[in-house]
Every structure is written in structure tokens, then in C-alpha cells.
């Protein structure tokens, strides 16, 4: 008999903090290495920074795929443990990792076929495209470590062992930060690789983190057994994982489409405007990543207690998560309102970049006041196996509202107006989210014991 999992018995606030805090710390470290990456690249040239910024849609698509599969693993595995179906939990873990490996091979193929056309579509032939192809080909073609890392980390999260994911993510991020200047500028006898060096540092960190995640699952996770010998894919388990994972993938991937479209809108103003947008995405990760870490700690608690039919514990988890998320986002709002110029100077900002970027941060950050609640409730949909609703909210916010509004505002030839598309889209998003949550509460949560 396996002992009672803490997600069913520990007081909710203590449980949420114990599971979310390690994830929040590791996500902050992830955000730090994303920013450091761009800070070092910015020292090469503004074109190099623009090239890395333009890589975001494809890079985000890859990460979204890995994380989406991980969300499906997390939700089904936690629910199986809540139902005490340990055999299904084991099948979920091994089939989930199998799907992650299939996804890696898909992106390996893409790295040889679509990277150059992807860049030419955004910036045409030239230095930005050449630098971008160098960077993105390495990041996508050598992404095995990323998919292994995320797959095994989600198994740890689903069983409540989030402190170990802090170790794996933190180690990978620290390795990346250390290797960045060495690989980019050719320090300690290494050749100077430029933007390609930033990519090499990233994949090395991911590979090391993936190896550590595999070892920790083998040594420190008694709730799940990876039965590799005689493994055959289980169609039912895979379909269940993907029923949550695919909407989550699409939801996260929508931001790739949004970013691609925004880059196309902004490049009409200048390449500096694209660089500003890229810097914003790096900076906002410092605010959003802790909220995502909070959600990563929340999802298995909600899934576990949904499987155990504990309505009160589910709602307690949601309420605490909403309070913490709003606090984090409000702090981010204040920082971007008060220190926008200082934030851009971290990236060797020119006077032109400052003139565009300072108003951008102040306007976009207004949306933070609504975003925290929306992100939390979307994660509740995923935890309850309703990933399609999460996808619907994300699609509405970024494609139906944000991109068209940004395009319309750009026709006034005032770039400051374009940034107002973010608060407008967030208002539409939170309205739809609350309507859907009311429906889900009455249909799925309220009938529980």
C-alpha cells in the first residue's frame, strides 16, 4: 500500500506554498537566464537582439508543445493518484515521456526545413535573417534535452515533488547563464560563436537539466514506476493526455502566432520597435513566470482533489491562488510604471529604443492588473480536464482581439496606440474567463461532495 499523498491531507495554504514556492523560484531563475541571454546578445548589436527576438514565435511553439504534453501528463497522473489508480499513474508517466520524444523528432525535422523561410517572411534577406538562422537552428535541432526535462519534471510536479523541479530547472538555468558569455564572446579559450553561442549555452543547460530530472525520478519518486521493458504505447492513455495536452499546446502556441503577427505590424514602424517588443517579452517573464510557477503548484492539487471529490479543497486552492497571483502582478505593474527606463538600459538601449520602449512598458503593464486572475482560472480548466476552454480564452484574447485591434490602431501611424491593444485584449479575456468559470463551477465542482 502506498501512503496517503500530501495533496489530499495537508492544509491548503501550506500545501500550495510548499508546492508552488519551489516552482516560482525555478521559474524566476528561468526568467533570469532569458533576460541574461538577451543582455549578452544586445552587446553584439541591435540586429543580433532583433534576430533573437524574432526567434520567439518558433521557440515558443516548441516550448509550448513540450509544456502542453506535460500539462496532460500532470492532470491525468494527479487525478489517477487521487483515485488511487497507481497502475494508470505508471502508464501515464511512461506514455507521456514517449509523446515528448515523438514531439522532439518533429522539431528536429523542422529545424532543417522551415527556419530560413520563417525568418525571410519576417525580415527578408539580410544580416538579421542570417543571425536568426544560426540561433534558431541550434535551439530547435538540439532540443532533446528540453523535451526530456519538461516531461520528467511534470511527473515530479504531479506527485507533489516540486522542490526537485526547482533543482532541475535551476541547475539548467545557472549553467546557461555561466556559459552565455563564454560561448558568445569566446572566453576561457573557447571560440567566439556570437548568437550561435547563446543557442549552444541554452541547449547544454537543457540537456543537463533533463539528465538530472531522469535521475531524480528514478531515485526519489516512489509514487511512479517507469516500466520501460516491454513498453507498448497505450492508445487510451495517450488520447487522454492529448485531450488536455493539445488544447494546452494550442493555447500556448497562440502566443507564437500573436507574436509573429505583432512583429509584422511593428516592423513597418522600425526594426527597433521589434526589438522593444522582444525586450518587453523578456522583462514580462519576470512577472508572469512566478504566476506560472504558482499555477504549476496549483494544478496537481486541483486535479488530485477533483479525483478525490473534495470540493472545499479545490475552491480553497483557487481562492488562495487568485490572491497570490494578483499580488505578484500588481508588483510587476508598479515596477514597470516606475522604472521603465532603467529596465531598458539593461539592454544597452539607444535613445530611439527608449523613446518607443518607455511608453510601451507603461501602457502594456496596465493589463497586468487583470491578467493574474485570468491565468489562474485558465489553469483550473486544465486541471479539471477542460483544456479546450483554456484554449478558447487564449485564442480569443490574442487572435480575435489583440492582433486585429493592434492592426487597426497601427493604421493611425502612432506606435504608442498599438500597445493599448494589450489592456483591451485582457479586459475581453477576463470577461470570457469568468463566464466560463461560472459554467464549470456549476457543472463539475458544485456537484462534488
Amino acid at each position: 500500500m502506498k501512503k496517503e499523498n500530501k495533496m489530499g491531507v495537508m492544509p491548503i495554504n501550506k500545501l500550495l506554498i510548499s508546492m508552488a514556492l519551489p516552482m516560482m523560484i525555478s521559474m524566476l531563475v528561468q526568467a533570469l537566464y532569458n533576460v541574461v541571454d538577451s543582455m549578452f546578445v544586445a552587446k553584439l548589436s541591435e540586429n543580433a537582439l532583433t534576430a533573437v527576438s524574432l526567434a520567439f514565435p518558433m521557440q515558443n511553439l516548441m516550448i509550448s508543445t513540450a509544456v502542453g504534453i506535460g500539462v496532460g501528463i500532470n492532470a491525468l497522473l494527479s487525478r489517477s493518484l487521487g483515485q488511487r489508480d497507481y497502475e494508470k499513474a505508471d502508464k501515464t508517466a511512461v506514455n507521456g515521456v514517449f509523446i515528448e520524444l515523438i514531439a522532439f523528432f518533429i522539431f528536429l525535422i523542422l529545424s532543417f526545413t522551415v527556419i530560413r523561410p520563417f525568418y525571410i517572411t519576417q525580415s527578408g534577406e539580410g544580416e538579421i535573417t542570417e543571425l536568426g538562422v544560426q540561433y534558431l537552428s541550434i535551439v530547435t535541432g538540439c532540443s532533446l534535452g528540453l523535451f526530456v526535462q519538461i516531461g520528467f519534471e511534470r511527473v515530479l510536479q504531479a506527485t507533489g515533488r516540486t522542490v526537485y523541479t526547482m533543482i532541475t530547472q535551476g541547475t539548467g538555468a545557472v549553467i546557461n547563464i555561466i556559459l552565455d558569455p563564454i560561448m558568445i564572446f569566446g572566453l576561457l579559450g573557447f571560440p567566439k560563436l556570437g548568437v550561435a553561442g547563446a543557442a549552444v549555452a541554452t541547449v547544454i543547460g537543457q540537456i543537463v537539466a533533463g539528465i538530472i530530472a531522469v535521475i531524480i525520478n528514478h531515485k526519489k519518486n516512489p509514487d511512479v514506476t517507469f516500466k520501460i521493458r516491454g513498453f507498448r504505447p497505450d492508445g487510451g492513455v495517450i488520447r487522454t493526455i492529448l485531450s488536455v495536452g493539445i488544447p494546452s499546446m494550442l493555447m500556448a502556441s497562440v502566443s507564437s502566432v500573436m507574436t509573429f503577427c505583432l512583429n509584422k505590424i511593428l516592423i513597418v514602424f522600425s526594426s527597433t520597435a521589434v526589438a522593444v517588443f522582444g525586450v518587453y517579452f523578456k522583462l514580462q517573464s519576470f512577472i508572469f513566470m512566478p504566476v506560472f510557477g504558482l499555477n504549476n503548484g496549483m494544478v496537481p492539487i486541483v486535479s488530485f482533489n477533483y479525483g478525490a471529490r473534495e470540493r472545499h479543497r479545490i475552491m480553497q486552492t483557487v481562492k488562495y491562488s487568485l490572491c497570490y497571483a494578483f499580488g505578484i502582478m500588481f508588483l510587476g505593474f508598479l515596477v514597470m510604471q516606475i522604472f521603465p527606463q532603467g529596465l531598458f538600459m539593461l539592454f544597452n538601449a539607444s535613445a530611439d529604443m527608449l523613446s518607443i520602449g518607455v511608453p510601451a512598458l507603461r501602457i502594456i503593464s496596465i493589463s497586468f492588473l487583470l491578467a493574474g486572475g485570468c491565468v489562474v482560472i485558465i489553469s483550473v480548466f486544465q486541471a479539471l480536464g477542460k483544456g479546450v476552454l483554456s484554449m478558447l480564452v487564449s485564442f480569443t484574447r490574442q487572435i480575435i482581439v489583440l492582433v486585429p485591434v493592434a492592426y487597426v490602431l497601427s493604421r493611425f501611424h502612432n506606435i504608442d496606440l498599438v500597445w493599448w491593444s494589450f489592456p483591451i485584449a485582457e479586459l475581453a479575456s477576463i470577461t470570457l474567463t469568468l463566464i466560463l468559470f461560472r459554467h464549470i463551477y456549476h457543472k463539475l465542482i458544485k456537484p462534488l461532495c
Side-chain angles (χ1 to χ4, degrees):
M1 292 292 294
K2 300 192 179 185
K3 67 180 183 179
E4 182 71 39
N5 193 287
K6 67 179 182 178
M7 289 186 287
V9 295
M10 186 181 288
I12 289 296
N13 193 34
K14 181 179 179 182
L15 174 64
L16 181 62
I17 292 173
S18 70
M19 291 188 62
L21 189 58
M23 293 306 307
M24 293 167 72
I25 294 172
S26 61
M27 288 287 195
L28 274 172
V29 176
Q30 293 275 331
L32 177 63
Y33 94 71
N34 283 333
V35 170
V36 170
D37 223 31
S38 294
M39 287 171 59
F40 284 124
V41 168
K43 293 182 182 298
L44 295 172
S45 68
E46 189 172 297
N47 276 352
L49 179 61
T50 302
V52 172
S53 298
L54 289 174
F56 177 82
M58 181 65 70
Q59 201 170 358
N60 183 66
L61 177 63
M62 179 177 65
I63 296 171
S64 299
T65 301
V67 171
I69 296 167
V71 169
I73 297 170
N74 198 336
L76 180 57
L77 206 161
S78 296
R79 196 183 316 151
S80 299
L81 291 175
Q83 296 166 341
R84 301 178 186 275
D85 189 344
Y86 301 115
E87 181 180 355
K88 190 172 184 179
D90 292 344
K91 286 184 178 181
T92 300
V94 70
N95 279 276
V97 172
F98 171 74
I99 302 171
E100 294 278 14
L101 294 176
I102 296 297
F104 157 68
F105 282 108
I106 292 172
F107 278 93
L108 177 62
I109 294 170
L110 292 178
S111 70
F112 294 110
T113 56
V114 304
I115 302 301
R116 183 171 291 277
F118 167 77
Y119 264 96
I120 291 174
T121 301
Q122 294 185 91
S123 62
E125 297 283 1
E127 183 186 19
I128 291 175
T129 290
E130 293 307 315
L131 293 172
V133 169
Q134 292 177 35
Y135 177 82
L136 195 54
S137 297
I138 295 171
V139 169
T140 53
C142 302
S143 58
L144 177 61
L146 170 72
F147 284 95
V148 170
Q149 175 191 350
I150 291 176
F152 279 89
E153 283 177 352
R154 290 299 172 137
V155 174
L156 290 169
Q157 291 172 26
T159 57
R161 294 172 172 82
T162 54
V163 69
Y164 291 122
T165 62
M166 179 179 69
I167 294 172
T168 58
Q169 291 185 3
T171 302
V174 169
I175 289 172
N176 191 338
I177 291 170
I178 293 172
L179 290 180
D180 257 336
I182 295 174
M183 298 293 183
I184 292 172
F185 303 115
L187 306 179
L188 303 179
F190 283 85
K192 181 180 179 180
L193 299 178
V195 292
V200 171
T202 295
V203 298
I204 290 175
Q206 291 168 349
I207 290 169
V208 173
I211 292 171
I212 295 173
V214 172
I215 293 171
I216 290 176
N217 264 288
H218 179 67
K219 299 287 187 181
K220 300 290 186 181
N221 195 355
D223 285 338
V224 174
T225 303
F226 287 87
K227 298 175 181 176
I228 306 298
R229 183 172 297 177
F231 166 73
R232 281 181 174 79
D234 187 308
V237 171
I238 289 175
R239 281 192 296 273
T240 305
I241 292 173
L242 293 179
S243 69
V244 176
I246 289 178
S248 180
M249 286 180 224
L250 294 175
M251 179 187 73
S253 300
V254 163
S255 65
S256 294
V257 178
M258 180 274 290
T259 306
F260 180 84
C261 294
L262 259 293
N263 285 338
K264 294 282 285 183
I265 292 170
L266 293 171
I267 198 73
V268 174
F269 289 93
S270 68
S271 61
T272 301
V274 175
V276 165
F277 188 46
V279 168
Y280 159 72
F281 254 96
K282 299 293 184 180
L283 292 172
Q284 61 93 33
S285 65
F286 265 106
I287 295 96
F288 278 91
M289 282 296 190
V291 178
F292 294 151
L294 173 69
N295 288 350
N296 285 340
M298 178 197 72
V299 166
I301 300 173
V302 173
S303 293
F304 183 99
N305 286 285
Y306 180 59
R309 301 187 63 82
E310 292 284 351
R311 180 182 65 188
H312 180 64
R313 290 179 65 82
I314 292 173
M315 291 309 299
Q316 272 193 308
T317 305
V318 174
K319 290 173 183 176
Y320 280 119
S321 298
L322 287 171
C323 290
Y324 291 136
F326 178 78
I328 293 168
M329 299 303 290
F330 183 71
L331 180 61
F333 165 77
L334 291 179
V335 170
M336 289 201 173
Q337 291 295 318
I338 299 171
F339 306 111
Q341 184 167 338
L343 293 173
F344 268 100
M345 290 311 297
L346 295 173
F347 299 87
N348 290 345
S350 62
D352 192 22
M353 183 177 282
L354 287 174
S355 68
I356 297 172
V358 169
L361 289 191
R362 286 183 170 146
I363 294 169
I364 296 174
S365 62
I366 295 171
S367 66
F368 293 179
L369 300 176
L370 299 174
C374 193
V375 172
V376 168
I377 296 174
I378 282 176
S379 296
V380 174
F381 295 157
Q382 294 171 346
L384 298 176
K386 299 297 179 181
V388 172
L389 299 182
S390 302
M391 180 182 67
L392 175 62
V393 172
S394 185
F395 188 82
T396 299
R397 175 186 177 272
Q398 299 185 76
I399 304 302
I400 296 179
V401 181
L402 196 154
V403 170
V405 170
Y407 176 74
V408 170
L409 294 176
S410 73
R411 308 308 293 171
F412 291 92
H413 307 292
N414 181 347
I415 195 170
D416 288 349
L417 291 178
V418 176
W419 309 124
W420 280 103
S421 60
F422 284 85
I424 292 169
E426 206 62 59
L427 182 60
S429 176
I430 193 65
T431 302
L432 177 60
T433 299
L434 292 174
I435 293 171
L436 292 175
F437 181 73
R438 184 176 184 275
H439 169 72
I440 286 297
Y441 175 79
H442 287 286
K443 183 178 179 180
L444 296 181
I445 301 175
K446 191 175 181 179
L448 298 176
C449 301

